[in-house]
Amino acid sequence: LSHPTNSSPPSIMKLAIASLLVGTAASFTPSSFINGGVSHKVATSTSLDMKYKVAVVGGGPSGACAAEIFAQDKNIDTVMFERKMNNAKPCGGAIPLCMIGEFDLPETTVDRKVRRMKLISPTGVEVDIGDTLQPNEYIGMCRREIMDKFLRDRAISFGAVPITGLVTGIDVPEDHKTSDNQYTIHYQAYEEGKSAGTPKDMNVDLIIGADGANSRVAKAMDAGEYNFAIAFQERIKISEEKMQFYEEMAEMYVGDDVSPDFYGWVFPKYDHVGVGTGTVVNRPAIKQYQKAIRDRAGDKIAGGKIIKVEAHPIPEHYRPRRVQGRMALVGDAAGYVTKCSGEGIYFAAKSGRMAAEAIVKLMEGGKRLPNQEEIERAYLAPYDKLYGPTYTVLDILQKVFYSSNGAREAFVELCNSKYVQQVTFDSYLYKRVQGNNPLDDLKLLGDTIGCLIKGYSIAKPDAVFSNPVESQKRL
């Protein structure tokens, strides 16, 4: 299922509002390769038993889904690097319903099935969302340590070779865009029970960078920098009685007290809640915003015990260069996280799968290596066609609805509409816009303008802050 590529403005608005509501807490040197072909090796009787080796760096959803596809082609050797095979990545953990079926995820990977959402404005106005959901529809809430392990184990079962190791550097041949010369990966190999790693090297023919926002692969291939948000989350164990409130409920809080450009959340997990927030424009104040989200959740989490504190960067836009030679970025490493919602899990898995499928097809059963132009055409072009407009529109919508308390008040009021709720969940759960109604679309446009006018009239001014040094930092 995919986003429409020729959506009308109202449809795009609906899709944008969808990601606003239910997502998770998701240098311009031109290529020197122009229409030339990589000088491919010709198979001989002495090289028929040789296979090209693909290294997937990173074992999260993007890396695991890529490794699974490569491993199914027995003419390709696939290795998958992951520093900690039991890693629990800081993450809100929300996934759309379509991901369950599309990636064959068992229900054991889903901790909670959220069927209700509560959206709370800066002045405390609450909107309950979920009446339009069907009985079999829900937003999946997962713990990354559970879901990622399942995806990794499946890739391994198909033949991917797991390497518990941290990639520390990559030697990139100067002619890697026009030759078959191999890349050399330097890494620290770790053994269970030992804290120190052993330095090792490996030569590979193609690299998939699925190693997150601080990607070593991106640095090695000179992918360029991007701006980033900091997401901060505390896992809080609350009483069974209080946990009943969050049985099928998630909460989103908006206001400059919890974030000047994002939102705060309380998401249910297996036996606790994840409470967090994020920001791009005022990262030094993240702990101040975290205290505010705890305060606003109030009695619902009172008396809870913080069992884990997590923080991680979230990319704010695509890397300037996502493919260089035979190195390709996917997931957070490529910048595939939506604005407004911070949704990244689905797009990570999808990009990993799309990149691997495109490259496997280009390799023609392991007979040849693709070049940069071919990878860009077979992987980047289809991905950008499917999701590029969504990233762009959500960037605009974040600037509109998260820019001030007045806009946030308008956003909450707008989401009281059952029509908005219907297209919201349809768009998020299935990654497509449904239920187009010209009259309702026109009414939605008018309501948006009216809500903005009203919101600005009742909201308090946003707090002023300044961080000219920190705001210039990039990854």
Side-chain angles (χ1 to χ4, degrees), residues 200-268:
K200 292 188 177 182
D201 298 330
M202 179 183 294
N203 293 329
V204 300
D205 300 290
L206 194 146
I207 300 175
I208 300 296
D211 48 342
N214 290 300
S215 172
R216 296 292 178 90
V217 177
K219 289 180 173 62
M221 62 184 268
D222 189 27
E225 298 177 332
Y226 51 32
N227 198 5
F228 65 99
I230 286 295
F232 193 99
Q233 178 175 266
E234 295 168 327
R235 298 194 189 194
I236 300 178
K237 187 72 175 288
I238 57 179
S239 68
E240 291 185 9
E241 180 182 1
K242 292 180 183 295
M243 198 68 201
Q244 290 178 3
F245 174 79
Y246 293 106
E247 179 68 26
E248 295 185 340
M249 172 73 76
E251 292 183 308
M252 286 176 58
Y253 294 81
V254 291
D256 71 317
D257 57 333
V258 297
S259 176
D261 56 339
F262 204 56
Y263 63 89
W265 66 84
V266 181
F267 289 162

Side-chain angles (χ1 to χ4, degrees), residues 403-432:
S403 61
S404 69
N405 283 328
R408 298 179 190 107
E409 293 286 350
F411 170 56
V412 173
E413 182 175 354
L414 189 63
C415 292
N416 204 28
S417 162
K418 289 296 186 288
Y419 180 63
V420 169
Q421 293 183 26
Q422 177 69 59
V423 297
T424 288
F425 279 108
D426 285 347
S427 300
Y428 176 77
L429 294 179
Y430 305 108
K431 290 293 175 276
R432 66 171 183 248

Side-chain angles (χ1 to χ4, degrees), residues 347-373:
F347 297 107
K350 187 71 173 179
S351 64
R353 175 176 285 185
M354 288 181 68
E357 287 176 340
I359 293 171
V360 165
K361 185 176 180 180
L362 290 170
M363 292 180 73
E364 299 176 0
K367 297 177 183 177
R368 64 185 296 271
L369 287 174
N371 59 47
Q372 177 174 324
E373 183 183 36

Side-chain angles (χ1 to χ4, degrees), residues 23-26 89-95 111 140-144 231-233 235 263 265-269 273-276 310 312 314 341-342 345:
T24 62
K89 180 181 176 180
C91 182
I95 58 175
D111 284 342
M141 289 290 173
C142 65
R143 284 170 292 166
R144 289 291 300 276
F232 193 99
Q233 178 175 266
R235 298 194 189 194
Y263 63 89
W265 66 84
V266 181
F267 289 162
K269 304 293 184 180
V273 291
V275 181
E310 308 166 315
H312 70 287
I314 300 176
S341 65
I345 298 176

